Amino acid sequence: MTAIGWLQIILFCVIVLVLTKPLGWYMTRVFNGERTFLSPVLRPVETGLYWISGVDEKREQHWLTYTVAMLLFHVGGFLIIYGLMRLQAVLPFNPAGQSAVAEDLSFNTAISFITNTNWQNYGGESTLSYLVQMMGLTHQNFLSAATGIVLALALIRGFARASVRTVGNFWVDVTRCTLYVLLPICIVYTLFLVWGGIPQTLGAYVEATTLEGAKQTIAVGPVASQVAIKMLGTNGGGFFNANAAHPFENPTALSNFVQMISIFALGAALTNVFGRMVGNQRQGWAILAVMGVLFLAGVAVTYWAEASGTSTLQALGLTGGNMEGKEVRFGIVASSLFAVITTAASCGAVNAMHDSFTAIGGMIPLINIQLGEIIVGGVGAGMYGMLLFVVLAIFVAGLMVGRTPEYVGKKIEAREVKMAMLAILVLPLMILGWTAVAVVLPSAVASMANAGPHGFSEVLYAYTSQTGNNGSALAGLTGNTLFYNITGGISMFVGRFFMIIPAMAIAGSLAEKKSIPPSTGTFPTTGGLFVGLVAGVILIMGGLTFFPALALGPIVEHLAMNAGNVF
């Protein structure tokens, strides 16, 4: 570890903090329907969309209606992506002549992109046409990101409102999020990426002659526009198989740094939106502090592990840290920081191969996902996931000290706690259940490139990533098989929607409650004690549900590697 390395980490954190308040202010105005500097241009477009679709922007929805609208919206998204992939061979904008995608892979990919997971059992440049990349994947990158944000917004309204039965209008919220937040930022962001050297073209793949005289095909395409929303919307799906390690997706140290900031920007800003909507910005800063503590701890461990390397590497004379699987233009610190950011934020983009990280360095990304990716988290998903843990922490605090379990003026009662537990326990059910099946089923075991603890870690990481809607992978596992495509698709679907429905039930329940003024019996929720309590509940819950898997995977692998054994 070096001073320059820590300076990069500190600079990243400072910039995210600086962006949090202005972005939070802007997003609050957007979702409250207030005028912004973009209103003169975008308001006519917004009202036109409502008129075409028959949406009454002043009519709000009950939480159940809001949720059903969201689910139907995603059914349409699934059918669009699946149809495009199956019909790819006969559709236009296919200069490389890509054939139709297999049924099971189309199923897995369609669910992957509507759930904001962007898990990829394929190489983008060798499998998909430009049309599928744009109309299917990039299109859903916007809509799945917008969905996560507006669902968090609905839960925030549950805390902020009193004695009402509505939590907003799904169609209005998604429209405003896409028009006023995602699109404007991505237009500027795309131009920056093109300036930095990322392709944005509908032209055919380029044929080049190497110095040895051989012919080489260089894949290009509408890359920059997809990279912009994949990072800003914490989607993570790469245009190229190598994802953000590919020089056409992430060419320089500057592009790498900006991409890392964009992954965290909106998720961090939503904490400020929460504070503003409940009438106390300190509440938002307290939640961001919980995220920050867990994030910095993860960065420190991963950076230390990768900078230290292993005794096996050192015995081979490879000192100076673990550079296997990392791009020289990024180095150890930027690779370690990127890995922690992308798994804390449910993004899934990678600028280094997680499969080549040390056991302890690779364990932190795994833990980040298994905790529910609430450390900033995916846009929106991290916020509503964190609020579920806040509900549990407040309830635990009430039991310990005899105070009334209440948070920002709302009583936390049995219904909210049951729904929060139901949402959180979905993750270990899918992750541990499918991992157990995969490590005993011969056809699934055959996909593991490594034996022993590391092979187990590859399978565990795959189901962790898919259930957690992350999308990154330990790439030693061959995932494009019928078993992994189907079970992975189920994991992504359950991990997304079986967590959303209980969260929305909490939103509806809270919105109907009266607001209670703070009293002497109210537990303070803006100080260090609250931050520590929530962080502790998160770690304890994670430890209770996932410790057996963690002990059998990365920790055993670490001990084995440092004993001189290579798995």
Side-chain angles (χ1 to χ4, degrees):
M1 294 191 288
T2 65
I4 294 295
W6 281 109
L7 183 61
Q8 291 182 54
I9 295 169
I10 293 170
L11 181 61
F12 167 81
C13 294
V14 169
I15 293 175
V16 170
L17 284 173
V18 168
L19 290 174
T20 296
K21 192 168 184 176
L23 274 175
W25 170 83
Y26 174 74
M27 292 170 71
T28 302
R29 292 188 66 86
V30 167
F31 293 121
N32 283 340
E34 300 173 22
R35 184 179 176 84
T36 70
F37 70 97
L38 291 175
S39 295
V41 176
L42 297 179
R43 180 59 182 166
V45 178
E46 180 188 356
T47 55
L49 290 173
Y50 297 150
W51 180 79
I52 293 171
S53 55
V55 171
D56 181 359
E57 64 177 305
K58 295 181 180 180
R59 183 178 181 180
E60 294 200 344
Q61 298 169 320
H62 184 266
W63 77 265
L64 189 57
T65 308
Y66 197 104
T67 305
V68 170
M70 178 273 300
L71 292 173
L72 292 174
F73 185 62
H74 284 76
V75 169
F78 173 85
L79 294 175
I80 289 171
I81 299 177
Y82 185 85
L84 286 171
M85 296 184 78
R86 294 293 296 134
L87 297 172
Q88 176 174 256
V90 297
L91 292 173
F93 298 107
N94 187 8
Q98 308 288 10
S99 59
V101 181
E103 293 95 331
D104 58 318
L105 181 56
S106 297
F107 168 82
N108 182 277
T109 305
I111 291 184
S112 177
F113 278 81
I114 66 168
T115 58
N116 202 243
T117 308
N118 296 41
W119 173 270
Q120 296 174 285
N121 277 335
Y122 61 88
E125 68 270 47
S126 60
T127 307
L128 301 182
S129 69
Y130 294 168
L131 183 70
V132 176
Q133 294 271 26
M134 292 186 296
M135 186 177 291
L137 309 191
T138 306
H139 167 245
Q140 280 301 314
N141 282 350
F142 277 96
L143 298 183
S144 63
T147 298
I149 292 172
V150 304
L151 290 169
L153 188 70
L155 183 54
I156 291 171
R157 287 186 182 128
F159 283 102
R161 295 179 174 184
S163 302
V164 299
R165 293 177 55 82
T166 60
V167 293
N169 185 307
F170 175 76
W171 309 112
V172 172
D173 288 341
V174 165
T175 300
R176 287 177 177 167
C177 183
T178 305
L179 270 182
Y180 289 90
V181 180
L182 299 178
L183 273 172
I185 297 175
C186 281
I187 289 171
V188 177
Y189 196 179
T190 299
L191 293 174
F192 164 79
L193 295 175
V194 171
W195 169 80
I198 296 181
Q200 181 69 19
T201 178
L202 293 177
Y205 288 3
V206 177
E207 296 290 337
T209 302
T210 67
L211 293 176
E212 292 81 8
K215 294 293 183 181
Q216 179 181 3
T217 300
I218 301 174
V220 292
V223 183
S225 55
Q226 183 168 320
V227 170
I229 187 58
K230 109 174 180 183
M231 295 302 189
L232 183 69
T234 61
N235 296 280
F239 190 96
F240 299 101
N241 190 39
N243 208 287
H246 196 292
F248 279 0
E249 285 202 33
N250 193 6
T252 65
L254 176 61
S255 69
N256 187 69
F257 193 73
V258 172
Q259 287 181 26
M260 288 192 294
I261 291 171
S262 66
I263 293 172
F264 264 19
L266 296 183
L270 279 169
T271 62
N272 189 258
V273 172
F274 174 77
R276 290 178 185 276
M277 287 194 167
V278 300
N280 184 354
Q281 290 189 49
R282 291 181 63 191
Q283 299 287 355
W285 290 118
I287 290 177
L288 187 60
V290 176
M291 296 174 174
V293 168
L294 296 173
F295 171 70
L296 288 173
V299 170
V301 172
T302 301
Y303 184 24
W304 165 79
E306 296 307 301
S308 300
T310 67
S311 58
T312 303
L313 291 173
Q314 292 164 5
L316 295 172
L318 301 174
T319 59
N322 175 31
M323 275 297 294
E324 181 187 347
K326 298 178 177 64
E327 293 294 307
V328 175
R329 65 185 186 277
F330 303 139
I332 289 175
V333 62
S335 301
S336 301
L337 181 59
F338 199 107
V340 178
I341 290 169
T342 196
T343 51
S346 182
C347 181
V350 293
N351 74 346
M353 295 301 102
H354 292 185
D355 200 40
S356 296
F357 274 41
T358 63
I360 297 300
M363 184 180 71
I364 296 301
L366 184 62
I367 290 176
N368 284 345
I369 306 173
Q370 290 182 343
L371 292 179
E373 291 170 308
I374 39 74
I375 307 171
V376 177
V379 284
M383 189 64 199
Y384 63 69
M386 176 60 78
L387 287 174
L388 294 176
F389 278 105
V390 169
V391 166
L392 294 180
I394 292 297
F395 184 74
V396 169
L399 292 178
M400 288 193 300
V401 301
R403 293 189 176 188
T404 304
E406 60 183 69
Y407 183 58
V408 294
K410 294 297 178 73
K411 271 190 177 182
I412 304 301
E413 297 176 301
R415 176 179 171 83
E416 290 78 39
V417 175
K418 289 176 182 177
M419 289 296 105
M421 285 301 303
L422 180 61
I424 291 170
L425 290 176
V426 162
L427 299 178
L429 174 66
M430 285 289 102
I431 295 170
L432 301 182
W434 286 122
T435 299
V437 173
V439 296
V440 297
L441 191 68
S443 60
V445 173
S447 291
M448 296 162 56
N450 297 277
H454 191 67
F456 177 84
S457 294
E458 289 174 350
V459 176
L460 176 65
Y461 196 106
Y463 287 111
T464 298
S465 179
Q466 290 174 95
T467 304
N469 302 137
N470 182 270
S472 63
L474 296 187
L477 181 72
T478 301
N480 189 18
T481 67
L482 180 63
F483 173 80
Y484 283 110
N485 279 331
I486 299 301
T487 59
I490 294 170
S491 298
M492 289 184 280
F493 181 86
V494 172
R496 177 75 160 181
F497 299 113
F498 281 50
M499 188 174 186
I500 284 172
I501 294 172
M504 290 300 295
I506 293 173
S509 175
L510 292 173
E512 292 181 5
K513 294 185 177 186
K514 294 180 180 179
S515 184
I516 305 170
S519 65
T520 54
T522 302
F523 182 78
T525 56
T526 57
L529 180 61
F530 171 76
V531 171
L533 175 67
V534 176
V537 168
I538 291 168
L539 293 174
I540 290 170
M541 286 292 296
L544 290 175
T545 53
F546 290 114
F547 180 76
L550 289 174
L552 288 172
I555 293 176
V556 173
E557 183 184 344
H558 169 74
L559 296 174
M561 290 179 69
N562 282 280
N565 298 316
V566 180
F567 288 87

